[in-house]
């Protein structure tokens, strides 16, 4: 009787007090794992929130984010420009009726592109200086930028759907187009370059060979630059700010 009434052995006392402290039979290891899991989940939530914030800022700052439903978005217009330089130009060049030399074609393309820049610039100025729009000062730079974005976006839809603008530009360029094929080529030049100018930010032609880097120029006959004689641009380099978007193409005048 005395033996059976003895208190629990030390290990049983410890087990009993542990169960009272942690009901349900949860071990110390399980508690530590749960605590670590909780901290890890909290850290993941913080990282996700941080990533979401950074992604939002990156999208807002990304100049080339595009509305893919817009038929005049940059990628679509660049595809049109590739077709112009490769398919439409080759069709014109190989035509015995509408044939243009490299020199003639270079002159036509540059005159058309220059006329496009003047037309887009003048229309933009006319809209931004309209009486309904209040004058902007240096403290309203953001508002001015947003207004210019809206103007370019609106003009893109207009220029995309109407050939009236391009007929006027061709006339202003003072180009004598002798055949239907030449006129079609000129209209495409105007349409595509105007749409490039109206991107946000604009994509512009660079015709200055001296200021152009050789890696961004290729020869019509695929010759390496050491074998170029007197190169001149057939197709200019296309740049968005300082970034080269499309390489230029040269030919040898001599």
């Amino acid at each position: 009787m005395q033996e059976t009434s003895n208190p629990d052995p030390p290990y049983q006392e410890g087990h009993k007090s542990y169960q009272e402290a942690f009901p349900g039979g949860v071990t110390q290891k399980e508690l530590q794992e749960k605590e670590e899991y909780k901290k890890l989940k909290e850290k993941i939530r913080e990282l996700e929130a941080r990533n979401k914030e950074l992604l939002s800022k990156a999208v807002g700052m990304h100049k080339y984010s595009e509305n893919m439903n817009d038929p005049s978005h940059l990628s679509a217009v660049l595809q049109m420009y590739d077709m112009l330089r490769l398919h439409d130009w080759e069709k014109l060049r190989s035509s015995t009726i509408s044939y243009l030399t490299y020199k003639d074609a270079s002159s036509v393309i540059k005159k058309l592109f220059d006329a496009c820049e003047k037309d887009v610039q003048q229309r933009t100025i006319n809209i931004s200086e309209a009486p309904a729009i209040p004058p902007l000062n240096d403290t309203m730079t953001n508002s001015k930028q947003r207004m210019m974005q809206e103007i370019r976006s609106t003009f893109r839809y207009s220029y995309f759907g109407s050939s009236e603008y391009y007929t006027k530009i061709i006339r202003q360029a003072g180009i004598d187009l002798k055949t239907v094929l030449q006129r079609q080529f000129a209209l495409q030049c105007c349409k595509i370059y105007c749409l490039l100018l109206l991107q946000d930010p604009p994509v512009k032609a660079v015709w200055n060979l001296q200021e152009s880097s050789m890696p961004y120029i290729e020869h019509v006959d695929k010759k390496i630059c050491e074998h170029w004689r007197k190169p001149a641009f057939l197709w200019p380099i296309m740049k968005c700010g300082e970034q080269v978007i499309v390489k230029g193409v040269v030919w040898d005048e001599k």
Side-chain angles (χ1 to χ4, degrees):
M1 290 290 295
Q2 204 172 21
E3 287 178 4
T4 56
S5 62
N6 284 342
D8 294 331
Y11 80 90
Q12 287 181 341
E13 287 180 353
H15 182 68
K16 185 175 180 181
S17 61
Y18 183 86
Q19 285 182 323
E20 289 174 355
F22 305 103
V26 179
T27 66
Q28 183 69 27
K29 183 179 179 181
E30 287 174 336
L31 276 176
Q32 289 176 345
E33 288 175 348
K34 284 185 177 181
E35 188 64 27
E36 289 174 359
Y37 178 72
K38 185 178 178 180
K39 291 179 180 179
L40 183 60
K41 281 186 70 176
E42 184 63 29
K43 186 174 288 187
I44 290 172
R45 276 196 297 268
E46 291 175 359
L47 288 172
E48 286 176 344
R50 178 62 177 161
N51 287 340
K52 188 175 180 181
E53 180 185 356
L54 290 173
L55 181 61
S56 177
K57 288 181 179 179
V59 170
M61 294 171 63
H62 186 43
K63 295 181 179 179
Y64 300 105
S65 58
E66 302 181 63
N67 176 9
M68 303 307 288
N69 295 321
D70 179 4
S72 62
H73 68 83
L74 180 58
S75 298
V77 180
L78 288 176
Q79 289 178 358
M80 293 164 60
Y81 186 61
D82 283 341
M83 285 294 292
L84 176 70
R85 295 196 313 156
L86 300 174
H87 179 269
D88 296 346
W89 160 243
E90 186 59 32
K91 183 179 177 181
L92 181 69
R93 192 179 72 86
S94 60
S95 170
T96 55
I97 301 175
S98 299
Y99 175 77
L100 290 176
T101 64
Y102 285 136
K103 185 175 183 179
D104 292 338
S106 175
S107 176
V108 166
I109 295 167
K110 189 174 188 313
K111 285 181 179 178
L112 289 172
F113 281 14
D114 288 347
C116 288
E117 289 185 15
K118 290 178 183 177
D119 185 81
V120 170
Q121 183 181 25
Q122 189 57 54
R123 289 180 188 276
T124 304
I125 291 173
N126 292 344
I127 290 293
S128 61
E129 292 181 350
I133 299 176
L136 299 170
N137 52 41
D138 293 338
T139 62
M140 300 175 69
T141 303
N142 291 336
S143 298
K144 185 174 182 179
Q145 288 177 346
R146 286 196 297 270
M147 184 186 74
M148 294 305 296
Q149 290 172 352
E150 290 297 325
I151 290 173
R152 282 195 289 265
S153 178
T154 302
F155 275 169
R156 273 209 317 273
Y157 286 105
S158 301
Y159 277 76
F160 185 82
S162 174
S163 61
E164 179 184 344
Y165 295 111
Y166 315 129
T167 302
K168 181 182 177 182
I169 291 171
I170 292 170
R171 188 166 59 250
Q172 291 174 338
I175 297 171
D176 181 21
L177 301 173
K178 297 180 173 63
T179 68
V180 173
L181 198 58
Q182 288 179 2
R183 180 171 178 77
Q184 290 174 345
F185 177 77
L187 286 170
Q188 280 295 96
C189 283
C190 293
K191 177 179 180 178
I192 293 167
Y193 189 49
C194 283
L195 293 176
L196 287 173
L197 290 170
L198 291 167
Q199 296 299 313
D200 187 30
V203 177
K204 294 185 176 182
V206 176
W207 293 92
N208 192 332
L209 194 59
Q210 284 69 37
E211 296 181 4
S212 303
S213 178
M214 288 300 111
Y216 300 121
I217 306 173
E218 56 188 12
H219 197 280
V220 288
D221 296 323
K222 304 302 179 184
K223 294 192 298 185
I224 58 175
C225 59
E226 286 81 3
H227 296 155
W228 297 358
R229 289 173 288 179
K230 187 181 177 183
F233 275 119
L234 172 63
W235 295 98
I237 293 174
M238 290 294 183
K239 295 180 73 174
C240 180
E242 293 303 313
Q243 182 181 4
V244 174
I245 304 297
V246 183
K247 289 183 177 182
V249 180
V250 298
W251 57 283
D252 287 321
E253 286 189 294
K254 291 184 179 180

